[in-house]
Every structure is written in C-alpha cells, then in structure tokens.
Amino acid sequence: MNKLLIISILLSSVAYADPPRLIDQKTGKYLGNLSSNQYDPNSTSNPHGNFGSKYSPDSINNPYGKYGSPQSNDSPNNPYATNAPVLEGFSDY
C-alpha cells in the first residue's frame, strides 16, 4: 500500500511545460510554438500548420516570407537580422 501511494504521488507531480513561443520582437505578433511536434497545429515543425508550412506568410520555414527569408530583417534565417523572432519573455536578451 505504501509503494502504491508513493508512486501515485510521484506521477501526479510530473509537470508538463508548454513549448516556448516565438514572437516578433517589435510587434509582439505570435509566430508559433518552437517545438519538434509535427502534430501540434501551432508548432513550427508542423508542415501543414500556419506556423510550420513553407507556404505560410507567418512561418519561419517560408524562404520567401517575412519571417523565413534569409534576406529579411525579421527572419531567424538571416544572421544579420536585428528583429529576428525571440522566445516569449526573452526579448531583452
């Protein structure tokens, strides 16, 4: 009985954290969850989702879009970008 109680306490205290959220530094626009989950509709890794599709204007995976182009100042794919998306809560770093 004591073992079962200990196991249930340990399992109930497991925390499930949400994945980090990408945002535009200047506007605060939400750009999806930085996650490897291909089934999360808001994941940057979902090739069919708004934030992971290579055709979506709000995706960091769209090489021709504002947030995915290697030439865009708003893209993490541009090493010289001054307004690349940041993780929510870390815009000062």
Short mmCIF file of all heavy atoms in Angstrom, two decimals, residues 51-91:
data_model
loop_
_atom_site.label_atom_id
_atom_site.label_comp_id
_atom_site.label_asym_id
_atom_site.label_seq_id
_atom_site.Cartn_x
_atom_site.Cartn_y
_atom_site.Cartn_z
N PHE A 51 2.18 27.90 -38.81
CA PHE A 51 3.48 28.39 -38.39
C PHE A 51 4.64 27.48 -38.82
O PHE A 51 5.79 27.81 -38.58
CB PHE A 51 3.49 28.56 -36.87
CG PHE A 51 2.42 29.50 -36.41
CD1 PHE A 51 1.31 29.02 -35.73
CD2 PHE A 51 2.49 30.85 -36.67
CE1 PHE A 51 0.31 29.88 -35.31
CE2 PHE A 51 1.49 31.72 -36.27
CZ PHE A 51 0.40 31.23 -35.59
N GLY A 52 4.33 26.38 -39.48
CA GLY A 52 5.37 25.46 -39.92
C GLY A 52 5.42 25.25 -41.43
O GLY A 52 6.41 24.77 -41.96
N SER A 53 4.37 25.62 -42.11
CA SER A 53 4.29 25.43 -43.56
C SER A 53 5.29 26.30 -44.30
O SER A 53 5.50 27.46 -43.95
CB SER A 53 2.88 25.77 -44.05
OG SER A 53 2.84 25.83 -45.45
N LYS A 54 5.88 25.75 -45.34
CA LYS A 54 6.82 26.54 -46.14
C LYS A 54 6.09 27.52 -47.06
O LYS A 54 6.73 28.29 -47.78
CB LYS A 54 7.76 25.63 -46.93
CG LYS A 54 7.10 24.77 -47.96
CD LYS A 54 8.13 23.90 -48.66
CE LYS A 54 7.50 23.03 -49.71
NZ LYS A 54 8.50 22.23 -50.41
N TYR A 55 4.76 27.52 -47.03
CA TYR A 55 3.97 28.44 -47.86
C TYR A 55 3.27 29.53 -47.04
O TYR A 55 2.76 30.48 -47.61
CB TYR A 55 2.91 27.66 -48.64
CG TYR A 55 3.50 26.58 -49.50
CD1 TYR A 55 3.33 25.24 -49.18
CD2 TYR A 55 4.26 26.89 -50.63
CE1 TYR A 55 3.88 24.24 -49.96
CE2 TYR A 55 4.82 25.89 -51.41
CZ TYR A 55 4.63 24.57 -51.07
OH TYR A 55 5.19 23.59 -51.84
N SER A 56 3.25 29.39 -45.74
CA SER A 56 2.54 30.35 -44.89
C SER A 56 3.33 31.64 -44.70
O SER A 56 4.53 31.61 -44.45
CB SER A 56 2.27 29.72 -43.52
OG SER A 56 1.73 30.67 -42.64
N PRO A 57 2.67 32.79 -44.80
CA PRO A 57 3.39 34.06 -44.62
C PRO A 57 3.89 34.28 -43.19
O PRO A 57 4.80 35.06 -42.96
CB PRO A 57 2.35 35.13 -44.99
CG PRO A 57 1.04 34.46 -44.86
CD PRO A 57 1.27 33.00 -45.13
N ASP A 58 3.33 33.55 -42.21
CA ASP A 58 3.74 33.70 -40.81
C ASP A 58 4.69 32.61 -40.35
O ASP A 58 4.96 32.48 -39.15
CB ASP A 58 2.51 33.70 -39.89
CG ASP A 58 1.62 34.90 -40.13
OD1 ASP A 58 2.16 35.96 -40.50
OD2 ASP A 58 0.40 34.79 -39.94
N SER A 59 5.23 31.85 -41.27
CA SER A 59 6.10 30.72 -40.93
C SER A 59 7.58 31.09 -41.07
O SER A 59 7.99 31.72 -42.04
CB SER A 59 5.79 29.53 -41.84
OG SER A 59 6.72 28.49 -41.62
N ILE A 60 8.39 30.62 -40.10
CA ILE A 60 9.84 30.82 -40.21
C ILE A 60 10.44 29.84 -41.22
O ILE A 60 11.62 29.93 -41.54
CB ILE A 60 10.54 30.67 -38.84
CG1 ILE A 60 10.34 29.28 -38.26
CG2 ILE A 60 10.08 31.75 -37.88
CD1 ILE A 60 11.18 28.99 -37.03
N ASN A 61 9.62 28.94 -41.74
CA ASN A 61 10.08 27.95 -42.72
C ASN A 61 9.79 28.37 -44.16
O ASN A 61 10.12 27.64 -45.08
CB ASN A 61 9.43 26.59 -42.44
CG ASN A 61 9.80 26.07 -41.08
OD1 ASN A 61 10.95 26.20 -40.65
ND2 ASN A 61 8.84 25.51 -40.37
N ASN A 62 9.17 29.53 -44.36
CA ASN A 62 8.86 30.03 -45.70
C ASN A 62 10.04 30.86 -46.19
O ASN A 62 10.23 31.99 -45.73
CB ASN A 62 7.58 30.86 -45.66
CG ASN A 62 7.20 31.40 -47.01
OD1 ASN A 62 7.98 31.38 -47.96
ND2 ASN A 62 5.99 31.92 -47.12
N PRO A 63 10.83 30.34 -47.14
CA PRO A 63 12.03 31.06 -47.57
C PRO A 63 11.73 32.36 -48.32
O PRO A 63 12.64 33.15 -48.56
CB PRO A 63 12.74 30.06 -48.49
CG PRO A 63 11.67 29.13 -48.95
CD PRO A 63 10.66 29.07 -47.85
N TYR A 64 10.48 32.59 -48.68
CA TYR A 64 10.09 33.82 -49.39
C TYR A 64 9.27 34.76 -48.51
O TYR A 64 8.90 35.84 -48.95
CB TYR A 64 9.31 33.48 -50.65
CG TYR A 64 10.06 32.54 -51.55
CD1 TYR A 64 9.72 31.20 -51.64
CD2 TYR A 64 11.16 32.99 -52.28
CE1 TYR A 64 10.43 30.34 -52.45
CE2 TYR A 64 11.89 32.12 -53.09
CZ TYR A 64 11.51 30.80 -53.16
OH TYR A 64 12.24 29.95 -53.95
N GLY A 65 8.99 34.36 -47.29
CA GLY A 65 8.16 35.16 -46.39
C GLY A 65 8.98 36.06 -45.48
O GLY A 65 10.20 35.94 -45.35
N LYS A 66 8.28 36.96 -44.83
CA LYS A 66 8.89 37.94 -43.94
C LYS A 66 9.69 37.29 -42.81
O LYS A 66 10.74 37.79 -42.43
CB LYS A 66 7.77 38.82 -43.35
CG LYS A 66 8.23 39.83 -42.33
CD LYS A 66 7.05 40.65 -41.83
CE LYS A 66 7.50 41.68 -40.81
NZ LYS A 66 6.39 42.51 -40.33
N TYR A 67 9.19 36.18 -42.28
CA TYR A 67 9.83 35.55 -41.12
C TYR A 67 10.73 34.37 -41.47
O TYR A 67 11.33 33.77 -40.59
CB TYR A 67 8.77 35.11 -40.11
CG TYR A 67 7.98 36.27 -39.57
CD1 TYR A 67 6.67 36.50 -39.96
CD2 TYR A 67 8.57 37.17 -38.69
CE1 TYR A 67 5.95 37.58 -39.47
CE2 TYR A 67 7.87 38.25 -38.20
CZ TYR A 67 6.56 38.45 -38.59
OH TYR A 67 5.86 39.52 -38.10
N GLY A 68 10.88 34.04 -42.76
CA GLY A 68 11.70 32.91 -43.14
C GLY A 68 12.79 33.22 -44.15
O GLY A 68 13.73 32.44 -44.32
N SER A 69 12.70 34.34 -44.81
CA SER A 69 13.65 34.70 -45.86
C SER A 69 15.04 34.98 -45.28
O SER A 69 15.17 35.67 -44.28
CB SER A 69 13.17 35.93 -46.61
OG SER A 69 14.20 36.44 -47.44
N PRO A 70 16.09 34.46 -45.92
CA PRO A 70 17.44 34.76 -45.45
C PRO A 70 17.83 36.23 -45.62
O PRO A 70 18.82 36.67 -45.04
CB PRO A 70 18.33 33.87 -46.33
CG PRO A 70 17.45 32.95 -47.06
CD PRO A 70 16.05 33.49 -47.00
N GLN A 71 17.05 36.99 -46.39
CA GLN A 71 17.34 38.41 -46.58
C GLN A 71 16.49 39.32 -45.69
O GLN A 71 16.74 40.51 -45.61
CB GLN A 71 17.11 38.83 -48.05
CG GLN A 71 18.13 38.28 -49.02
CD GLN A 71 17.84 36.85 -49.42
OE1 GLN A 71 16.70 36.43 -49.48
NE2 GLN A 71 18.88 36.09 -49.71
N SER A 72 15.49 38.78 -45.03
CA SER A 72 14.57 39.59 -44.24
C SER A 72 15.18 39.97 -42.89
O SER A 72 15.80 39.16 -42.21
CB SER A 72 13.27 38.83 -44.01
OG SER A 72 12.43 39.53 -43.11
N ASN A 73 14.95 41.20 -42.49
CA ASN A 73 15.41 41.68 -41.19
C ASN A 73 14.60 41.07 -40.04
O ASN A 73 14.98 41.16 -38.88
CB ASN A 73 15.30 43.21 -41.13
CG ASN A 73 16.00 43.77 -39.93
OD1 ASN A 73 17.12 43.40 -39.62
ND2 ASN A 73 15.34 44.67 -39.24
N ASP A 74 13.48 40.41 -40.37
CA ASP A 74 12.61 39.80 -39.37
C ASP A 74 12.76 38.28 -39.30
O ASP A 74 11.93 37.61 -38.71
CB ASP A 74 11.15 40.14 -39.68
CG ASP A 74 10.88 41.63 -39.64
OD1 ASP A 74 11.35 42.28 -38.69
OD2 ASP A 74 10.22 42.14 -40.56
N SER A 75 13.78 37.74 -39.90
CA SER A 75 13.93 36.30 -40.03
C SER A 75 15.08 35.74 -39.18
O SER A 75 16.17 36.31 -39.17
CB SER A 75 14.19 35.94 -41.49
OG SER A 75 14.50 34.58 -41.63
N PRO A 76 14.84 34.60 -38.52
CA PRO A 76 15.93 33.95 -37.80
C PRO A 76 16.94 33.31 -38.76
O PRO A 76 18.03 32.92 -38.34
CB PRO A 76 15.23 32.89 -36.95
CG PRO A 76 13.98 32.58 -37.69
CD PRO A 76 13.59 33.87 -38.36
N ASN A 77 16.59 33.24 -40.03
CA ASN A 77 17.49 32.66 -41.04
C ASN A 77 18.48 33.68 -41.59
O ASN A 77 19.31 33.34 -42.42
CB ASN A 77 16.66 32.05 -42.18
CG ASN A 77 15.75 30.95 -41.67
OD1 ASN A 77 16.14 30.14 -40.84
ND2 ASN A 77 14.51 30.97 -42.12
N ASN A 78 18.37 34.92 -41.15
CA ASN A 78 19.30 35.97 -41.55
C ASN A 78 20.22 36.25 -40.36
O ASN A 78 19.78 36.76 -39.33
CB ASN A 78 18.53 37.25 -41.91
CG ASN A 78 19.44 38.40 -42.28
OD1 ASN A 78 20.66 38.32 -42.17
ND2 ASN A 78 18.84 39.49 -42.72
N PRO A 79 21.51 35.90 -40.48
CA PRO A 79 22.41 36.09 -39.34
C PRO A 79 22.61 37.55 -38.95
O PRO A 79 23.10 37.84 -37.86
CB PRO A 79 23.72 35.46 -39.81
CG PRO A 79 23.65 35.40 -41.29
CD PRO A 79 22.19 35.34 -41.65
N TYR A 80 22.24 38.49 -39.81
CA TYR A 80 22.40 39.91 -39.52
C TYR A 80 21.09 40.61 -39.15
O TYR A 80 21.07 41.83 -39.00
CB TYR A 80 23.04 40.61 -40.73
CG TYR A 80 24.33 39.96 -41.13
CD1 TYR A 80 24.40 39.18 -42.28
CD2 TYR A 80 25.48 40.10 -40.36
CE1 TYR A 80 25.59 38.56 -42.65
CE2 TYR A 80 26.66 39.49 -40.70
CZ TYR A 80 26.72 38.72 -41.85
OH TYR A 80 27.89 38.11 -42.20
N ALA A 81 20.03 39.85 -39.02
CA ALA A 81 18.72 40.43 -38.70
C ALA A 81 18.74 41.10 -37.33
O ALA A 81 19.33 40.58 -36.38
CB ALA A 81 17.64 39.35 -38.74
N THR A 82 18.10 42.25 -37.25
CA THR A 82 18.02 42.96 -35.97
C THR A 82 16.65 42.81 -35.32
O THR A 82 16.46 43.24 -34.19
CB THR A 82 18.32 44.46 -36.17
OG1 THR A 82 17.38 45.01 -37.10
CG2 THR A 82 19.73 44.67 -36.66
N ASN A 83 15.71 42.19 -36.03
CA ASN A 83 14.38 41.97 -35.47
C ASN A 83 13.94 40.51 -35.65
O ASN A 83 12.78 40.23 -35.94
CB ASN A 83 13.34 42.91 -36.10
CG ASN A 83 12.01 42.83 -35.37
OD1 ASN A 83 11.97 42.82 -34.14
ND2 ASN A 83 10.92 42.74 -36.11
N ALA A 84 14.87 39.60 -35.50
CA ALA A 84 14.52 38.17 -35.62
C ALA A 84 13.56 37.80 -34.48
O ALA A 84 13.62 38.39 -33.41
CB ALA A 84 15.78 37.32 -35.55
N PRO A 85 12.66 36.84 -34.71
CA PRO A 85 11.76 36.43 -33.65
C PRO A 85 12.53 35.96 -32.41
O PRO A 85 13.63 35.45 -32.51
CB PRO A 85 10.99 35.25 -34.27
CG PRO A 85 11.09 35.46 -35.73
CD PRO A 85 12.43 36.11 -35.95
N VAL A 86 11.91 36.16 -31.26
CA VAL A 86 12.52 35.76 -29.99
C VAL A 86 11.55 34.86 -29.23
O VAL A 86 10.35 34.82 -29.53
CB VAL A 86 12.88 36.97 -29.12
CG1 VAL A 86 13.97 37.81 -29.77
CG2 VAL A 86 11.66 37.83 -28.81
N LEU A 87 12.08 34.16 -28.25
CA LEU A 87 11.22 33.37 -27.37
C LEU A 87 10.48 34.32 -26.45
O LEU A 87 11.07 35.27 -25.92
CB LEU A 87 12.05 32.39 -26.56
CG LEU A 87 12.82 31.36 -27.37
CD1 LEU A 87 13.65 30.48 -26.44
CD2 LEU A 87 11.87 30.50 -28.18
N GLU A 88 9.21 34.09 -26.26
CA GLU A 88 8.41 34.96 -25.43
C GLU A 88 9.02 35.08 -24.03
O GLU A 88 9.40 34.10 -23.42
CB GLU A 88 6.98 34.41 -25.31
CG GLU A 88 6.03 35.32 -24.61
CD GLU A 88 4.62 34.80 -24.67
OE1 GLU A 88 4.40 33.62 -24.33
OE2 GLU A 88 3.74 35.57 -25.07
N GLY A 89 9.17 36.31 -23.58
CA GLY A 89 9.75 36.57 -22.27
C GLY A 89 11.25 36.79 -22.31
O GLY A 89 11.86 37.11 -21.31
N PHE A 90 11.87 36.61 -23.48
CA PHE A 90 13.31 36.77 -23.60
C PHE A 90 13.70 37.85 -24.60
O PHE A 90 14.76 37.82 -25.16
CB PHE A 90 13.96 35.45 -24.01
CG PHE A 90 13.85 34.38 -22.98
CD1 PHE A 90 12.83 33.46 -23.03
CD2 PHE A 90 14.76 34.32 -21.94
CE1 PHE A 90 12.72 32.47 -22.06
CE2 PHE A 90 14.66 33.34 -20.98
CZ PHE A 90 13.63 32.42 -21.03
N SER A 91 12.85 38.81 -24.84
CA SER A 91 13.12 39.82 -25.85
C SER A 91 14.24 40.78 -25.47
O SER A 91 14.78 41.47 -26.31
CB SER A 91 11.86 40.62 -26.17
OG SER A 91 11.38 41.26 -25.01
#
